[in-house]
Amino acid sequence: MLYSPKKLFLFFLSCTVMLLVNNNNSGFVTSANSIGLNYGLLGDNLPSPSNVINLYKSIGITKIRIFDPNTEVLNALRGHRDIEVTVGVKDQDLAALAASAEAVKGWFAANIESYLADVNIAFITVGNEVIPGPIGPQVLPVMQSLTNLVKSRNLPILISTVVAMSNLEQSYPPSAGMFTSQAREQLVPVLKLLSQTSTPILVNIYPYFAYASDPANIPLDYATFNNEAIVVQDGPLGYSNMFDAIFDAFVWAMEKEGVKDLPMVVSETGWPSAGNGNFTTPDIASTYNRNFVKHIAGGKGTPKRPNKGIDGFLFATFNENQKPAGTEQNFGLYNPSDMKPIYKLF
């Protein structure tokens, strides 16, 4: 059953929760945990960026992520400073940018400079899931150059990268979390750079893929936050959902490399509504995304990091028909043709 975008206004409003924390009885510290949306462009039937920005505003979205400095999208964002945008550096640009700081300055001038006055650019991410991998070593020098650039100009833009859970050699139980040898080589120096300024690392977490690869041993309710009982007991820490277990495995892995208390932003999570039979139905996708939103809005954090809010981005705004056939085309919350929800979330 399709619902108009306006019908989901309260849903997205509920994605933001203000947590009032007593600060030694001297007052209240306010923090906000909010859900953003990934805005992918791999489709030939997508609405215009201006219409998409209007959709975001109508449903209360204040954070979006784009995968490259797309001029049409950034121009559509002009004047909408109530929307924070995370902008990606294209993977194919990394080699040239890693060669020199001057190349990075040129990239910034060409892709970011003209939007500083009227677009709220919160993050620039250097590479999308390229660590670990053959171009992974290119990430650190580009991050260093961009960090130096924004710092020299006192710009409120954070520089980071986006990584997948393929960096983990072991993730079960979470306390056994450890990085692969290639991740230790490529990712740990990045994490240590980020820790100097407490800048978050962006991580993509998809319980769907773990469940789909081993449904006989992973309960669906555990994978979709649809369970309150402890499924995995890890010493004193108990896990009732797979998302928290994956998140904490990454935290444990960082700590084993001497990186402690580094913030993590969930740059992607979601569940496809089609493409893999009974594993990918609108009902299951709705359940996962709805429960993820509730989990974030509840502000409980994870067993390893309790009561620490998590910022997260759902993947994705639209189904994208130019992605690989199958589940990859079916992570969207909205149909691109009419911008109506694909399934009921609340």
Side-chain angles (χ1 to χ4, degrees), residues 194-207:
L194 293 172
S195 66
Q196 294 174 11
T197 53
S198 293
T199 298
I201 180 70
L202 279 69
V203 296
N204 294 344
I205 297 179
Y206 284 100

Side-chain angles (χ1 to χ4, degrees), residues 259-279:
V259 178
K260 297 186 178 182
D261 300 318
L262 185 68
M264 289 167 54
V265 169
V266 180
S267 39
E268 292 180 26
T269 194
W271 198 286
S273 61
N276 190 16
N278 292 333
F279 295 164

